[in-house]
Structure formats: structure tokens, C-alpha cells
């Protein structure tokens, strides 16, 4: 039996949120892949199951914890659990995630503890040296986690599974990133039914502008650039892979009907890379007349952005987006390998504003 855990979130008294509560898209994708592979699993969404609960952060007076307490998480663990997968997407959440792992280890001393997400991929040696985790899944995790479970079930050594770091005889072993799945449309849809998705939607917990009943979605995976400050090259390599516009629109239509969703927050690292893809996607949405809005709060590129693209975005329901120039200094941009044409970026911003974005 596998248990997937989404850790609680963190709040500060400054009014700045270190971790905006957001449906755990990555973990929901893992759950969907487990379901298709035939594995039994449960989910403990320590944020979504207690969005209205706030408690003191251990040993800190300036932080608060949003969600279930450690004791409440442990009480939800079933004794037949032998594998626990925990997600940590942001390093600000690592200290709290580590505490969750410690509490799980006390309750289930023989369970295999697996960490997934951006933080573990960035610093696997540190994670394995300072926490009770046995394995860190590196990079895109759906296939790797399933292969790990299959190897465990058949007695194959973990060293034969690509995309992991793990402890073995006191040493950290690293099998390097597994190959990216190029056919992204074959990845099962997120298993939102195993998460309290309606709690997030009803409370407008989103990482974008509040445009109504929202949920996250992913149209593309990865980024072709190599900015030095970004975790993308280590997590996703430099391969940008887009989903089929029709299948992406199918998923949006499904959620609009099933969950009464009226807005979608795209979690893509950078959705607008290929002009033809964004044009085809916008036209697909325009043709369906779904009466929804969508936005790109995580940031996007400007290279293929012009008045025509801005018009298609608006007509398809896009209402908000973030450009990410990072700096106005050519010297800084060169130093951090940020490939951006500032003049074109300014033109793109003006085109967006003129069209009402």
C-alpha cells in the first residue's frame, strides 16, 4: 500500500505568502500514473484537508503552518502502508517537509520514504544526509516512481532504476535523470478525485489572479533555456514538450463540467515558445466557446508574442500573464544566461496591454 502526502503550507505574519496553497498538480499526476499502473494508494493532502486551520510553526514565532498538524498527518497513516511518497516543490517548504518525514518514520519505521519534486532534485545528497528519506526521485517523476515500485515488488536492485538517488551501505547512489517522456499526451491525467480539489476551488486557493473558480493545469513541460538561477535544467533538462491542443482543451472542458471550474491557472514554466502551438491552442478554445478564462501566472517568454498572438489569447479567454525579463541590465542578463531581447519584450508588453491583458 502506498501513501502520497502533500505537506502543509507556510504563512508569515509579514503578509507575504511563502507558499500559496495550490492544488498539488505534480502529486496528482503521480497518483493518476499509479492508478493506471494498478497500484493501490491513498492520499493525505495536509494542506487541502485543512485549508482553514492555522497552527504555530515549530520553533519559529514569525511563521505559521496552514493545514494539518504533524499529529493529524500521522493519525491518518494506515498501518499497512509500506511506501510513502512526499512532494516538496519549494525549498522554503523543506524544513517542514523534513519534519513530516520524521513523524512518518516514527509511525512506520519499516516503510520506504520517497521524496519527489524540485527541491530533492536540486540537492539530493543534502536531503539524504539530513533526513529519514530513503530515496529521492529526480526530475519528471511519474515513470520513475512506478519503476521503483515495480523493482521493489520483484526484488530488482534500485541501482537498475534510472532517475533516483538513494542510500546504500552508507553511500549516496545516483542513477541520473531518467529519459523524459516525449509522448506527454500518454501521461495519465491527474487523479483529482483522490484530493480535496473542491476545497481548493471553493476557497479560491490559487497562485494566479482570482478570476473565479480555478484549478491548475499543465499545457507544456520543461523549458529550452538554461538560465543559471533556475532549477529547470536539472529538473527537466532543456527539452520543451507541448501537449496536443485538442487534448489539452478536452481536459479543460472536462474540469469545467465536472467541477464547475471557470478559470485555469497554467503552471507551465513557459507556455509560449512555439508560435504555431499557442495559435492552434487559442483557436481550439475559441472554437469550443467554453466561457472560461485562463492565465499564465508563472511567467512566459515574449519571442513569438505580437499583436496577433495577443488578440488570439484574449479571444480564447486568457486575461492575465506574467512576462519574465528578470533584469533590465544587458550585463546581468548575459551573466545569468537569460536570453531575452528587451526591446521585443517591451513591444510584447505593449501589445498585451493594448489588447486588454
Amino acid at each position: 500500500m502506498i501513501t502520497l502526502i502533500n505537506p502543509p503550507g507556510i504563512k508569515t505574519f509579514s503578509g507575504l505568502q511563502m507558499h500559496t496553497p495550490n492544488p498539488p498538480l505534480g502529486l496528482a499526476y503521480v497518483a493518476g500514473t499509479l492508478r493506471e499502473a494498478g497500484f493501490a494508494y491513498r492520499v493525505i493532502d495536509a494542506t487541502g484537508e485543512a485549508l482553514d486551520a492555522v497552527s504555530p510553526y515549530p520553533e519559529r514565532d514569525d511563521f505559521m503552518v496552514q493545514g494539518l498538524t504533524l499529529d493529524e498527518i500521522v493519525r491518518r497513516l494506515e498501518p499497512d502502508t509500506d511506501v510513502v511518497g512526499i512532494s516538496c516543490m519549494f525549498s522554503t517548504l523543506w524544513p517542514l517537509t523534513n519534519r513530516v518525514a520524521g513523524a512518518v518514520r516514527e509511525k512506520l519505521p519499516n516503510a520506504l520514504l520517497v521524496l519527489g519534486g524540485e527541491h530533492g532534485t536540486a540537492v539530493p545528497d543534502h536531503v539524504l544526509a539530513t533526513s529519514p528519506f530513503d530515496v529521492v526521485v529526480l526530475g519528471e517523476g511519474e515513470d520513475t516512481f512506478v519503476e521503483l515500485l515495480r523493482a521493489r515488488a520483484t526484488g530488482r536492485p534500485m541501482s537498475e532504476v534510472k532517475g533516483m538517488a538513494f542510500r546504500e551501505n552508507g553511500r549516496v547512489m545516483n542513477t541520473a535523470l531518467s529519459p523524459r517522456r516525449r509522448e506527454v499526451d500518454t501521461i495519465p491525467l491527474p487523479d483529482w478525485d483522490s484530493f480535496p480539489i473542491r476545497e481548493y476551488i471553493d476557497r479560491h486557493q490559487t497562485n494566479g489572479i482570482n478570476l473565479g473558480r480555478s484549478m491548475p493545469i499543465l499545457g507544456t513541460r520543461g523549458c529550452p533555456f538554461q538560465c543559471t538561477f533556475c532549477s529547470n535544467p536539472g529538473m527537466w533538462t532543456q527539452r520543451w514538450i507541448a501537449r496536443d491542443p485538442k487534448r489539452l482543451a478536452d481536459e479543460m472542458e472536462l474540469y469545467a463540467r465536472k467541477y464547475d471550474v471557470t478559470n485555469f491557472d497554467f503552471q507551465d514554466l513557459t507556455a509560449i515558445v512555439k508560435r504555431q502551438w499557442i495559435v492552434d491552442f487559442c483557436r481550439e478554445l475559441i472554437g469550443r466557446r467554453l466561457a472560461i478564462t485562463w492565465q499564465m501566472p508563472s511567467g512566459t517568454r515574449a519571442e513569438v508574442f505580437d499583436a496577433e498572438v495577443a488578440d488570439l489569447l484574449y479571444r480564447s479567454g486568457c486575461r492575465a500573464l506574467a512576462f519574465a525579463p528578470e533584469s533590465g541590465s544587458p550585463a546581468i542578463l548575459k551573466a545569468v544566461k537569460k536570453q531575452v531581447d528587451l526591446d521585443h519584450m517591451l513591444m510584447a508588453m505593449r501589445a498585451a496591454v493594448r489588447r486588454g491583458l
Side-chain angles (χ1 to χ4, degrees), residues 305 309-311 313-314 317-321 351-357:
F305 204 102
V309 170
D311 180 63
L313 287 169
Y314 191 90
C318 184
R319 289 296 179 269
L321 61 103
V353 171
R354 278 196 296 267
R355 190 56 184 91
L357 295 164

Side-chain angles (χ1 to χ4, degrees), residues 79-102:
D80 63 344
T81 299
D82 54 6
V83 177
V84 178
I86 304 178
S87 174
C88 184
M89 293 302 293
F90 302 97
S91 294
T92 48
L93 284 175
W94 168 243
L96 192 54
T97 302
N98 197 357
R99 287 180 178 272
V100 171

Side-chain angles (χ1 to χ4, degrees), residues 32-350:
T33 303
L34 291 178
R35 179 177 58 185
E36 183 177 82
F39 287 98
Y41 60 93
R42 304 185 185 96
V43 172
I44 301 174
D45 186 346
T47 300
E49 292 178 29
L51 282 166
D52 299 330
V54 180
S55 58
Y57 189 97
E59 300 172 3
R60 292 289 297 259
D61 294 332
D62 52 342
F63 291 172
M64 298 292 284
V65 176
Q66 180 178 16
L68 299 175
T69 65
L70 293 182
D71 289 342
E72 290 170 331
I73 294 171
V74 168
R75 283 200 296 270
R76 281 165 167 76
L77 289 167
E78 297 293 341
D80 63 344
T81 299
D82 54 6
V83 177
V84 178
I86 304 178
S87 174
C88 184
M89 293 302 293
F90 302 97
S91 294
T92 48
L93 284 175
W94 168 243
L96 192 54
T97 302
N98 197 357
R99 287 180 178 272
V100 171
V104 171
R105 173 61 76 211
E106 287 188 21
K107 173 72 176 289
L108 303 171
N110 298 317
L112 183 74
L113 266 59
V114 183
L115 179 73
E118 297 268 1
H119 178 80
T121 298
V123 288
D125 288 26
H126 177 264
V127 166
L128 293 171
T130 61
S131 76
F133 282 103
D134 302 300
V135 179
V136 176
V137 169
L138 308 173
E140 194 172 43
E142 294 95 342
D143 292 343
T144 300
F145 192 43
V146 167
E147 282 305 304
L148 166 62
L149 295 171
R150 287 172 174 162
R152 180 177 170 85
T154 60
R156 284 169 48 211
M158 287 197 292
S159 59
E160 294 183 3
V161 180
K162 291 285 291 182
M164 299 193 319
F166 57 94
R167 286 195 299 259
E168 186 174 85
N169 299 324
R171 297 173 54 206
V172 173
M173 310 295 290
N174 190 316
T175 63
L177 288 174
S178 60
R180 293 279 308 284
R181 195 195 288 205
R182 301 187 69 130
E183 304 300 326
V184 293
D185 289 309
T186 65
I187 298 174
L189 292 181
D191 176 19
W192 287 121
D193 290 337
S194 293
F195 293 79
I197 184 64
R198 293 185 185 277
E199 298 296 317
Y200 288 100
I201 297 171
D202 291 345
R203 287 166 174 75
H204 301 278
Q205 297 297 297
T206 176
N207 74 331
I209 296 171
N210 184 2
L211 296 178
R213 293 179 58 80
S214 305
M215 69 184 304
I217 200 165
L218 203 60
T220 66
R221 290 189 174 210
C223 174
F225 299 95
Q226 54 179 343
C227 304
T228 60
F229 54 83
C230 186
S231 62
N232 168 70
M235 179 78 183
W236 301 99
T237 69
Q238 287 176 249
R239 177 170 287 166
W240 179 86
I241 307 174
R243 297 174 59 188
D244 176 74
K246 182 181 184 303
R247 294 192 180 188
L248 177 56
D250 286 344
E251 185 182 3
M252 296 170 72
E253 190 168 354
L254 169 67
Y255 297 153
R257 182 176 64 252
K258 186 174 183 178
Y259 302 117
D260 300 318
V261 169
T262 59
N263 177 71
F264 294 89
D265 304 322
F266 276 68
Q267 306 294 302
D268 304 51
L269 291 174
T270 178
I272 303 180
V273 172
K274 291 185 178 180
R275 180 186 178 88
Q276 193 59 54
W277 183 83
I278 193 64
V279 167
D280 290 345
F281 173 59
C282 288
R283 286 176 175 164
E284 181 69 32
L285 288 182
I286 292 168
R288 295 196 185 208
R289 302 178 182 272
L290 296 180
I292 54 93
T293 58
W294 61 283
Q295 57 184 307
M296 293 177 282
S298 298
T300 193
R301 305 286 303 190
E303 283 80 1
V304 302
F305 204 102
D306 56 21
E308 181 185 5
V309 170
D311 180 63
L312 285 169
L313 287 169
Y314 191 90
R315 288 168 55 204
S316 69
C318 184
R319 289 296 179 269
L321 61 103
F323 287 116
E326 314 301 345
S327 174
S329 163
I332 293 296
L333 293 173
K334 182 178 180 180
V336 299
K337 297 184 179 180
K338 178 74 178 187
Q339 299 177 40
V340 57
D341 182 327
L342 292 175
D343 290 336
H344 186 86
M345 175 76 75
L346 186 58
M347 181 277 294
M349 291 176 176
R350 286 170 172 158

